[in-house]
Amino acid sequence: MKTVLWATLTANGNYAQSTPENPPKQEALDDFAAHAKAAGNFIVGRRTFEQMQAPGRVSQEELANADGPFAGMDIVVISNSIHDIPGVTVVRSPQEALNYLLHKGHQTALISGGADIHNSFLNQGLVDEVIFNVAPVLEGKGLNLLIDQNNYGYKQVQLLDCKPLGGEVVQLRYAIDR
Ligand SMILES: NC(=O)c1ccc[n+]([C@@H]2O[C@H](COP(=O)([O-])OP(=O)(O)OC[C@H]3O[C@@H](n4cnc5c(N)ncnc54)[C@H](OP(=O)(O)O)[C@@H]3O)[C@@H](O)[C@H]2O)c1
């Protein structure tokens, strides 16, 4: 099973945070929905999952709605504090999330954030491909994606694709050798 990390970056390379002043671009959200539909799943951290369910975002009903954008999708929430959320699968670790999706027969696992989850997968060397959507915004102090949170180091990656998504968002896709 291939693991794909999908993330939005700011134009100055930060890990983009979704806030009322900096909402995600529709083009990036549409791209996420397309990748999630193609994979048939996505993995998300407990805090991002809660953020997705904030007023005006995706409701519990939409997640369960047979006609909605996430219909029939395996949604996996990683949490150590919550044990059960209706309509989704809750697991305790990145590896447990991958084991679950592998067992369900998925070809691709889509890792959709947030920062802790993305960094956990990167730190544990569990990512085959990264998709970065670069949004047209600069940010001050922010979050970062790191392959190692304690040490300096580099990992060469191979550029697979680079394309504009519209709305001034540019998508970069890289393969990571494991
Ligand atoms: N740039 C992007 O593409 C993107 C995508 C999504 C979200 N975001 C942004 O990211 C931010 C939220 O990220 P976040 O780091 O605060 O939260 P998060 O990664 O969504 O969720 C963190 C929670 O996930 C669980 N968790 C994380 N790592 C774990 C591990 N290794 N093992 C077990 N459980 C683990 C813990 O849940 P418990 O506390 O329940 O144990 C932890 O509190 C927001 O600003 C959001 O807008 C950005």
Side-chain angles (χ1 to χ4, degrees):
M1 186 176 68
K2 182 164 87 169
T3 61
V4 177
L5 183 156
W6 183 101
T8 299
L9 304 182
T10 68
N12 58 325
N14 283 3
Y15 183 78
Q17 301 180 67
S18 172
T19 66
E21 313 83 66
N22 184 45
K25 282 269 194 182
Q26 191 57 47
E27 288 80 0
L29 293 176
D30 291 346
D31 182 71
F32 173 71
H35 278 96
K37 190 172 178 195
N41 66 74
F42 64 89
I43 299 169
V44 66
R46 193 259 308 159
R47 283 202 287 268
T48 297
F49 183 72
E50 287 175 355
Q51 194 177 45
M52 284 172 71
Q53 295 187 296
R57 304 289 295 274
V58 185
S59 67
Q60 195 93 41
E61 289 72 35
E62 273 180 289
L63 286 173
N65 184 342
D67 300 322
F70 301 110
M73 223 173 259
D74 261 321
I75 301 170
V76 183
V77 179
I78 306 183
S79 171
N80 279 306
S81 66
I82 290 183
H83 298 268
D84 189 38
I85 306 172
V88 309
T89 301
V90 181
V91 299
R92 301 275 162 253
S93 69
Q95 190 60 62
E96 198 183 321
L98 296 180
N99 292 348
Y100 168 77
L101 291 175
L102 183 65
H103 180 71
K104 291 287 299 282
H106 289 277
Q107 305 290 309
T108 299
L110 186 68
I111 310 156
S112 69
D116 276 359
I117 290 300
H118 276 159
N119 279 320
S120 294
F121 276 86
L122 285 170
N123 279 227
Q124 292 174 38
L126 295 173
V127 182
D128 297 304
E129 190 176 309
V130 291
I131 296 175
F132 291 143
N133 291 327
V134 183
V137 63
L138 299 172
E139 191 185 34
K141 189 172 154 63
L143 302 174
N144 295 111
L145 290 182
L146 302 169
I147 54 169
D148 188 328
Q149 275 155 328
N150 300 312
N151 299 294
Y152 290 105
Y154 298 90
K155 188 159 188 56
Q156 302 300 323
V157 294
Q158 295 88 48
L159 181 66
L160 298 174
D161 197 15
C162 170
K163 65 179 182 190
L165 292 187
E168 300 177 78
V169 178
V170 175
Q171 182 170 87
L172 302 168
R173 204 156 63 82
Y174 295 97
I176 303 178
D177 280 338
R178 289 214 252 160

